[in-house]
Amino acid sequence: MTSKSMIDISAIHKDVKELLGKDKSGHGMDHVDRVLKLAMTFAENERADKEIVTLATLLHDVDDYKIFGEEHAKKLLNANTILDKYNVADKTKSKVLNIIRSMGYNKYIEGVRPSTLEGMIVSDADMCDAIGSIGILRTHAYALSKGNVFFDKDVQPETELVDVTEYKTARKSHSVQHFFDKLLRIPAILMTDSGRREGEKRKMIMVSFLRELFQEEDSQEWQKYLNVYEDKS
């Protein structure tokens, strides 16, 4: 099996890019690279194993159900293939796959969370990329890929946490709905000190943006929803 110093990270990066390079839903290689940069900063701050963090970050979306389907997501087919291709040691492979299996908002709804520091770091970095300025752009990019509008003031957000089946199948009719159904809730569930600091900063960017949007749209009802998050800031 391959030792730490022999794992070809650049080759793995290339393979991941081939899998995700055409994605237009906000889960492409640009997302992976941003998450990797943030995860490495968190790993430095939290003194985590950078090799595990790097591998898990690079591979965390290569079996995403939204891109590759439920079978890939369940079996992690692409992640397994890549790790085997580069003869990654069994112990390292197991750690990486366990991190990927425990990541994502769907897993959070199911009550599954990362149990290792490295997993918490990758999860936090991934969730942070869903919020803030980049999160606003990614949310709208995904909505456009599904033919949805940015804001429909007549469609109200979910005020309670739904189960994972309902979350996956519910139609997100506009981007702003998604801010309240998920994105504004993310900072409260981040697991590391580094992640929580970054998440709070990015939350305030979204709150400021939405406040201005609702003022321009003269939407007092939606401002009431936003007040909950402003009061917690």
Side-chain angles (χ1 to χ4, degrees):
M1 291 296 179
T2 304
S3 67
K4 282 189 175 186
S5 61
M6 294 177 62
I7 296 176
D8 193 341
I9 296 299
S10 62
I12 293 175
H13 185 281
K14 182 178 179 180
D15 285 358
V16 173
K17 186 174 182 179
E18 289 180 1
L19 286 169
L20 300 177
K22 296 181 180 180
D23 179 74
K24 303 298 182 184
S25 69
H27 297 82
M29 202 63 208
D30 54 342
H31 161 66
V32 174
D33 285 337
R34 287 192 305 270
V35 175
L36 180 59
K37 181 179 179 180
L38 193 56
M40 295 310 291
T41 299
F42 290 176
E44 180 71 25
N45 294 341
E46 306 288 340
R47 299 182 179 180
D49 186 323
K50 292 182 180 179
E51 180 185 77
I52 299 295
V53 169
T54 298
L55 290 170
T57 302
L58 285 174
L59 299 176
H60 81 276
D61 268 345
V62 297
D63 293 291
D64 190 293
Y65 78 93
K66 295 183 291 296
I67 304 171
F68 299 100
E70 293 288 352
E71 183 178 4
H72 269 268
K74 183 177 181 180
K75 298 180 180 179
L76 300 182
L77 298 176
N78 287 328
N80 270 288
T81 296
I82 291 173
L83 291 168
D84 288 343
K85 177 180 178 180
Y86 294 99
N87 297 314
V88 174
D90 289 342
K91 185 176 181 180
T92 298
K93 177 182 175 181
S94 178
K95 289 180 180 180
V96 170
L97 294 177
N98 284 336
I99 289 172
I100 298 171
R101 289 190 187 100
S102 66
M103 284 180 58
Y105 197 72
N106 295 336
K107 295 295 184 180
Y108 162 70
I109 295 174
E110 293 175 340
V112 177
R113 304 304 308 274
S115 60
T116 65
L117 176 60
E118 289 73 23
M120 294 175 189
I121 285 170
V122 180
S123 177
D124 279 5
D126 182 42
M127 287 192 174
C128 279
D129 197 59
I131 58 180
S133 298
I134 288 294
I136 295 169
L137 295 175
R138 286 185 65 207
T139 299
H140 194 41
Y142 185 76
L144 288 174
S145 75
K146 298 298 182 181
N148 295 337
V149 299
F150 188 76
F151 183 40
D152 181 349
K153 65 176 66 178
D154 294 326
V155 179
Q156 305 301 307
E158 291 284 348
T159 57
E160 301 294 335
L161 189 66
V162 297
D163 65 39
V164 68
T165 300
E166 186 177 353
Y167 176 77
K168 282 185 176 182
T169 58
R171 175 173 169 78
K172 303 295 189 293
S173 64
H174 62 107
S175 299
V176 173
Q177 179 188 16
H178 188 56
F179 282 89
F180 291 89
D181 292 349
K182 174 183 176 181
L183 303 186
L184 288 167
R185 304 181 187 195
I186 283 177
I189 65 173
L190 299 176
M191 305 179 75
T192 66
D193 289 341
S194 297
R196 285 188 286 268
R197 286 193 297 269
E198 185 67 24
E200 186 63 24
K201 180 179 72 174
R202 294 185 182 216
K203 183 189 81 172
M204 294 313 302
I205 292 171
M206 295 189 298
V207 167
S208 296
F209 169 78
L210 291 170
R211 184 191 307 119
E212 292 298 322
L213 175 66
F214 298 153
Q215 287 179 356
E216 293 176 16
E217 290 280 355
D218 192 24
S219 182
Q220 296 181 5
E221 185 66 27
W222 280 86
Q223 180 61 48
K224 291 178 182 178
Y225 292 120
L226 187 61
N227 288 343
V228 174
Y229 296 94
E230 290 182 311
D231 291 342
K232 291 181 179 180
S233 62

